[in-house]
Amino acid sequence: MPELEKRFSTEEACRAYLSQLRWADGFCCPRCGSRKEPWPVRGTYLQCPACAHHASVTAGTIFERTRTPLPIWFRAIWWVVTQKNGASALGLQRVLGLGSYETAWTWLHKIRRAMVRPGRDRLSGHIEVDETYLGGKEEGVHGRETFKKALIVVATQEDGNGIGRIRMRRIPEASAKSLLPFVEDVIEPGSTIHTDGWLGYVGLAARGYAHEVSVLKRSKASASDLLPRVHRVVSLLKRWILGTHHGAVSPDHLDYYLDEFTFRFNRRSSRSRGKLFYRLLQNAMAVGPVAYKDIIKSVRGSGGRNHNP
Ligand SMILES: [Zn+2]
């Protein structure tokens, strides 16, 4: 943190860094497409020499129109990537000394949006896929879990006996209509997909996947023996939600928590926090801006999502 604060102590330093991320191949004017070297204007804008447009490096990103100085944003993002077990709004509020919990919560949700890179590549190879319920009454949990049941589908890449990368999504119901689009969005055709005998997966072969089905043969075997990687990931996810968020994840916000878990899980072997920080800022440059009212709206599910089957 001290090193970060030294390097990114000013708005100009942060903007210069973001410019490097956004225009990695050199400046390109968002209005006219000119690649001529821009002039800095008041340390905030870059003026295009071809059309005189004042380009802002934060326009069209999660930092657009923020009233918070960028050094504070950088500190928030640094803090998020260094929380090994996930970031809570309360923790962020404390560390930045923010006046309101709501502000911290909104920031976290903005930062979470940057955890999914637009156009990220799909999983390939051998993949386990299964659905599971989150929430509701869990064994050994007494009154802590405050969200109702939500259905999610999880894909885990096999990596020898271990787990490679993962993807997950909340779905309205376990039908082919929900499961197959998920598979097509996150897994390369030609991959081998390993599922249980559920009918919702029957269409996989027709969509260009090799489909391996395992069914319970002995009464002693459990679902987690069939698809051990998915079930390992699900138990880690449940523990994470209980531990970091004290179970206080409403189904309306679940999508974002799934994104954060996925971001952290897929980078769990990356020892360098600097790399995570860089990756998150890089994504932040690529995802569009989001207003508080849109976060509220989208988590209320008015965007056409159904939850709680
Ligand atoms: Zn221009």
Side-chain angles (χ1 to χ4, degrees):
M1 192 69 110
E3 200 186 314
L4 176 100
E5 284 175 6
K6 213 167 108 195
R7 181 165 172 200
F8 299 114
S9 61
T10 65
E11 196 75 13
E12 287 73 22
C14 295
R15 280 185 183 273
Y17 188 69
L18 294 180
S19 295
Q20 279 175 25
L21 294 177
R22 183 159 184 183
W23 294 302
D25 309 322
F27 177 78
C28 176
C29 174
R31 189 204 266 165
C32 74
S34 164
R35 293 195 153 271
K36 286 185 186 149
E37 194 63 30
W39 305 307
V41 180
R42 296 192 300 276
T44 308
Y45 300 103
L46 295 171
Q47 183 174 329
C48 169
C51 75
H53 174 62
H54 284 189
S56 163
V57 69
T58 55
T61 75
I62 65 166
F63 305 117
E64 183 172 276
R65 273 190 268 273
T66 179
R67 266 171 276 154
T68 309
L70 287 173
I72 311 275
W73 269 112
F74 274 44
R75 279 175 64 187
I77 291 174
W78 179 254
W79 182 80
V80 165
V81 300
T82 53
Q83 300 311 296
K84 237 188 136 191
N85 297 313
S88 70
L90 198 60
L92 185 65
Q93 187 190 359
R94 264 190 224 129
V95 75
L96 291 186
L98 296 172
S100 90
Y101 175 85
E102 247 163 48
T103 306
W105 184 89
T106 310
W107 281 34
L108 266 193
H109 277 274
K110 285 194 178 192
I111 294 169
R112 282 200 183 101
R113 293 213 166 204
M115 291 185 174
V116 181
R117 185 160 49 92
R120 62 184 172 180
D121 53 348
R122 292 184 283 188
L123 306 181
S124 59
H126 283 247
I127 324 277
E128 290 178 10
V129 176
D130 202 3
E131 344 77 54
T132 186
Y133 280 102
L134 284 181
K137 279 241 158 76
E138 296 275 343
E139 269 175 64
V141 176
H142 302 286
R144 291 178 75 201
E145 218 156 355
T146 55
F147 63 96
K148 295 195 192 82
K149 279 195 178 216
L151 186 63
I152 63 167
V153 55
V154 179
T156 60
Q157 200 173 29
E158 296 179 16
D159 181 10
N161 289 324
I163 303 170
R165 290 182 302 152
I166 62 169
R167 296 278 188 259
M168 49 180 72
R169 176 183 293 176
R170 185 161 57 98
I171 50 173
E173 81 282 303
S175 65
K177 216 175 99 197
S178 295
L179 297 171
L180 297 180
F182 168 76
V183 167
E184 290 188 295
D185 285 349
V186 306
I187 304 172
E188 285 289 339
S191 302
T192 301
I193 300 183
H194 192 180
T195 71
D196 61 17
W198 174 241
L199 285 171
Y201 296 108
V202 162
L204 282 176
R207 282 169 172 75
Y209 298 97
H211 189 195
E212 244 173 49
V213 179
S214 296
V215 290
L216 293 173
K217 292 198 186 91
R218 294 167 294 123
S219 55
K220 269 186 197 165
S222 72
S224 53
D225 298 327
L226 289 183
L227 301 161
R229 291 170 189 82
V230 164
H231 289 273
R232 171 100 185 112
V233 166
V234 167
S235 77
L236 288 171
L237 173 67
K238 287 179 177 173
R239 215 190 301 162
W240 180 72
I241 288 176
L242 281 175
T244 306
H245 303 292
H246 305 292
V249 175
S250 92
D252 292 341
H253 307 156
L254 189 58
D255 297 318
Y256 300 102
Y257 293 98
L258 298 183
D259 288 343
E260 180 179 354
F261 182 85
T262 301
F263 178 84
R264 290 182 187 284
F265 188 91
N266 287 344
R267 288 159 188 84
R268 66 201 183 281
S269 61
S270 169
R271 290 184 185 276
S272 159
R273 291 164 175 188
K275 214 188 260 175
L276 290 184
F277 180 73
Y278 169 82
R279 180 67 69 195
L280 203 49
L281 276 180
Q282 198 182 35
N283 290 355
M285 289 288 91
V287 298
V290 54
Y292 178 70
K293 62 173 176 20
D294 296 325
I295 294 178
I296 296 297
K297 204 163 57 182
S298 72
V299 298
R300 281 194 188 140
S302 58
R305 293 176 185 268
N306 298 311
H307 19 85
N308 293 339

